[in-house]
Amino acid sequence: MPNPVNQTVKNKGIYLLPNLFTTAGLFSGFYAVIASMNGHFEAAAIAVFVAMICDGLDGRVARLTNTQSDFGAEYDSMADMVSFGMAPALLAYNWALADLGKIGWLAAFIYCAGAALRLARFNTQVGVADKRYFQGLASPAAAAVIAGSIWCGHQYDISGADVSWIVALVTALVGLLMVSNFRYHSFKEVDWRGKVNFIVILLLVGVFVVISVQPALILCVGFYLYALSGPVITIRTLRKLRASHGSEERNRGDSDLNVASSVEEENSTQVKPELKTDAEQETNAKDKQDKAE
């Protein structure tokens, strides 16, 4: 039986390996802010994706090595706010939104506030929510939408000033998707320690090859599709629930009709003998009168 005192000490400890990945992600996010301020937008966008990789590794490394801690969870949340909240918002503002004035920084603020609220809600739902799905767009995926758009625009020589209104709309919408109730696949049910077929390894190699051909475009399109998958999944789930409720109501209606028809049949069978008895009494009375005459 585990000792609760040792478990408490373990949860309050600070482990080097997972926090090392968290620090690397925080550094990448901070570098993205500095690079965007200096006009190096492509490097800033790539730094956001590097922060995503580090963020995906720190939690898995902690679970695989059994080095989870309360400090690591809080540190990871603070680093995510910098890397996927502040950095993408400032990157979008410096690239395209600065010329829009108040509308530009308000769109960036909507994204930043959405990321903060999304992280706070995620922290309060740990151990309660369904691990197969995220409630709302995850902040790393939202940051990838912003960073991928800017990286793709820089590669195709698109000026941020020419698409400033589109960037403002996308930035605000992505911020709202983070605080929405749309369901997104979390891919946490994947067993990373399990055995796989050799074909799976070949498919992974093919994925890396395809991404390396046009990393900016493919990553941008991929994360846009993921951002749109949440409303699609939610709408399909609601339709299935409505269809199941409708079938249940129809089944209830059919059962009520069957009960009503069975009751009517029972009543009719009870009435028929009574009618027959009355008829027999009338014939018997007539027979008696005939005999008396």
Side-chain angles (χ1 to χ4, degrees), residues 1-12:
M1 182 176 180
N3 191 352
V5 176
N6 294 334
Q7 186 69 23
T8 304
V9 173
K10 177 183 176 181
N11 290 337
K12 290 185 178 180

Side-chain angles (χ1 to χ4, degrees), residues 249-266:
E249 290 178 358
R250 285 193 297 271
N251 292 332
R252 288 179 184 175
D254 294 338
S255 62
D256 293 339
L257 289 174
N258 292 331
V259 171
S261 61
S262 62
V263 170
E264 289 178 358
E265 289 177 357
E266 291 178 358

